[in-house]
Amino acid sequence: MLQPLKIFENFFGDRKITSPRLYEFTIDVIAKLQAANVNNQFNDFINALSPAANALGDEVGVIKTALALQKGKTLGLNEVIKNFKTYMSLNHGVIARAVGGTNTAAYQAFYPQGISEYSTATQTKLPALLIQVSNAADLYANQIGDEIRNELKAFNSQFHDTRNAQLLQKGTVGESRVERSSNRKILELELLKTIHSIALMFPADVEKCTSLFNFNLLEAPKKGKKVNPEMAKP
């Protein structure tokens, strides 16, 4: 039997979904919408979600807490960001030649707003750009080659590894916050509108709809089970 609450309620209001995870989920949604936005059919969703996500990102300090990361464990978050921006600026010509020029769809996948999109990007926008580049690297791997593809995807991994280590050290930013702010509520509603609108655009197409939303990002990371040394013996 259908349960109306499961369909129409604000399931993003669950207290188990922390604000940092909601932010990560939204950034991933925006990146997926941008990658699939061939005919600009997702422009309204992207334009509505982006400012709401940035507001929540600034609030919870998902990016700005990088200074708390222990030295020596991984590259500092600021260094990863700097290296990424420099790489995208210096190698735009290499990528353009590899994909057949700056007027190709492949080049636009890497530089939809031009080089300045990377050089002027704020910290809150970096996650979406990293996913954008990573997706484009996979899509056009045959043209850019394995070396460039691996280098581009490595930035995304370095960024998230660094930030995850930083968040773990800080005891996960915002985990203890139980009150939902106005910024979060606004983002929750924009996400609900987007999900229901996508469902309307692709009725009954579960595969298409779910390809745009990685709901696993809303769940807490699972801790690895400890192995009993006695049981591990043959």
Side-chain angles (χ1 to χ4, degrees):
M1 180 178 178
L2 291 176
Q3 299 181 17
L5 282 179
K6 294 296 183 181
I7 300 175
F8 302 114
E9 71 175 350
N10 176 12
F11 38 82
F12 291 111
D14 190 332
R15 296 173 107 186
K16 294 180 181 178
I17 301 176
T18 63
S19 291
R21 289 202 293 272
L22 186 67
Y23 170 79
E24 291 286 345
F25 171 77
T26 307
I27 291 299
D28 185 70
V29 170
I30 293 172
K32 284 181 168 62
L33 290 173
Q34 289 175 330
N37 196 27
V38 179
N39 298 316
N40 298 320
Q41 70 270 40
F42 299 140
N43 280 356
D44 290 343
F45 307 139
I46 295 170
N47 293 336
L49 288 171
S50 295
N54 287 338
L56 184 63
D58 288 338
E59 181 178 301
V60 301
V62 173
I63 307 297
K64 294 178 180 178
T65 50
L67 293 177
L69 184 63
Q70 273 188 339
K71 293 181 179 180
K73 285 189 175 180
T74 58
L75 287 174
L77 185 60
N78 289 334
E79 188 175 353
V80 173
I81 293 173
K82 179 182 177 181
N83 290 345
F84 173 67
K85 288 185 174 183
T86 300
Y87 184 97
M88 296 306 294
S89 295
L90 294 180
N91 290 280
H92 71 96
V94 176
I95 293 175
R97 287 191 293 273
V99 300
T102 58
N103 294 323
T104 61
Y107 181 85
Q108 293 300 316
F110 289 100
Y111 299 94
Q113 304 298 326
I115 303 173
S116 62
E117 182 178 17
Y118 297 98
S119 60
T120 62
T122 61
Q123 288 184 336
T124 53
K125 292 182 179 179
L126 254 295
L129 291 178
L130 286 161
I131 295 175
Q132 171 181 290
V133 168
S134 181
N135 289 341
D138 283 334
L139 187 60
Y140 298 101
N142 290 337
Q143 292 169 260
I144 63 176
D146 288 339
E147 182 177 353
I148 295 178
R149 173 186 176 274
N150 293 337
E151 288 173 349
L152 291 173
K153 293 185 71 66
F155 285 116
N156 193 37
S157 299
Q158 290 172 5
F159 180 88
H160 286 90
D161 288 346
T162 302
R163 185 168 55 187
N164 287 339
Q166 170 260 335
L167 289 176
L168 287 172
Q169 183 187 353
K170 292 291 291 182
T172 62
V173 176
E175 289 285 347
S176 61
R177 297 182 183 179
V178 295
E179 293 297 327
R180 288 156 54 233
S181 68
S182 59
N183 284 333
R184 169 161 177 161
K185 291 176 182 177
I186 290 172
L187 180 56
E188 289 173 0
L189 293 180
E190 291 300 337
L191 283 168
L192 288 170
K193 292 176 187 176
T194 300
I195 287 176
H196 290 303
S197 297
I198 293 295
L200 184 62
M201 293 174 69
F202 308 101
D205 192 339
V206 177
E207 183 177 357
K208 176 65 176 179
C209 293
T210 54
S211 69
L212 299 171
F213 305 97
N214 183 3
F215 292 102
N216 291 327
L217 294 175
L218 296 171
E219 300 177 0
K222 294 181 180 180
K223 297 181 179 179
K225 293 183 179 180
K226 293 183 178 180
V227 178
N228 187 325
E230 293 298 322
M231 296 182 65
K233 295 179 179 179

